[in-house]
Amino acid sequence: DPVRKVLALAYINKQMSGVPMPSNADVSAYFQSNSALYAERKHYELQTCMVKPVAGKDVAVKAQLSKSRNFEDFERWLRSNKIAHGCVPVSVTADEANEKVALKLKNVPVGGNVVEGSKEQMAITYVKALRSEPLSLEQATPTITKLLSDKRKSEAYEKMVKQLRDKAKIEYLPPYTANGLAPSLKAP
């Protein structure tokens, strides 16, 4: 029903408008506690690769990765051993990357790598180059403000939905019951 959707969206928007914006102190504290993303920010030139090793080859893939002089040698080895993979170059700053990945890359030198995943599928991130590109608090403030604001709105939304669900009264109308379709109407 379109009218109900409009009313529901209006209600949600009204509830979200009451969520306070982060203060300058909140932004500053986030900036200080995440220096790797801002004050010590790095720009990475990466090669990311999804590898699907044949059963039992995962150890050999990791060993070859550490033996290879560079990523091109490693990729040639994957091709010559007919190991399924797909690689793409990525250029990203620490604050643009997934926070978990950015923290893992923080101490990885040029030529180093991060391997994640399982024996069936591995995600390999190889650092080809990096350079320092720090941001000042003033430069980072709009990004941090949006990030903290979005986080607060998400938390407020989850809390609102939980409250609505706790207050909701669910009434099952025939032929349905709390356990689904009434037993007398189920197919044999």
Side-chain angles (χ1 to χ4, degrees):
D1 181 19
V3 173
R4 286 185 183 185
K5 280 185 180 179
V6 169
L7 290 173
L9 287 173
Y11 177 76
I12 291 169
N13 288 336
K14 182 179 179 188
Q15 297 299 315
M16 294 300 107
S17 68
V19 175
M21 290 296 286
S23 67
N24 288 341
D26 294 335
V27 171
S28 181
Y30 188 85
F31 179 84
Q32 297 300 326
S33 65
N34 292 282
S35 61
L37 301 177
Y38 303 105
E40 300 167 8
R41 181 176 85 152
K42 295 176 182 172
H43 185 219
Y44 297 94
E45 296 297 329
L46 307 170
Q47 189 74 23
T48 61
C49 200
M50 294 303 292
V51 179
K52 291 187 177 185
V54 180
K57 282 271 196 179
D58 59 304
V59 175
V61 169
K62 288 179 183 177
Q64 185 61 38
L65 182 61
S66 61
K67 282 195 301 193
S68 297
R69 290 180 297 130
N70 56 44
F71 199 79
E72 289 74 21
D73 285 347
F74 174 67
E75 196 172 5
R76 267 193 296 280
W77 180 85
L78 288 173
R79 277 194 299 274
S80 69
N81 284 278
K82 296 181 177 32
I83 296 175
H85 68 285
C87 300
V88 293
V90 177
S91 179
V92 66
T93 57
D95 59 317
E96 295 169 338
N98 174 316
E99 192 171 340
K100 189 173 94 173
V101 172
L103 291 173
K104 285 184 180 181
L105 288 173
K106 180 181 177 184
N107 297 317
V108 177
V110 172
N113 60 69
V114 175
V115 180
E116 295 181 302
S118 64
K119 295 177 182 182
E120 293 83 33
Q121 184 164 331
M122 305 159 106
I124 299 170
T125 304
Y126 180 84
V127 180
K128 292 181 93 172
L130 68 91
R131 63 184 178 275
S132 181
E133 285 187 7
L135 287 179
S136 67
L137 176 59
E138 293 75 31
Q139 291 170 312
T141 294
T143 303
I144 295 172
T145 300
K146 181 173 179 358
L147 183 124
L148 293 176
S149 177
D150 289 350
K151 184 177 178 185
R152 286 182 179 182
K153 285 180 181 179
S154 175
E155 289 167 355
Y157 178 79
E158 288 174 18
K159 184 179 176 183
M160 178 189 68
V161 169
K162 183 181 180 326
Q163 288 173 344
L164 289 171
R165 284 186 176 151
D166 291 346
K167 288 181 191 177
K169 179 183 174 205
I170 299 174
E171 184 178 330
Y172 295 96
L173 300 174
Y176 299 99
T177 68
N179 297 323
L181 197 56
S184 62
L185 297 174
K186 287 186 180 176

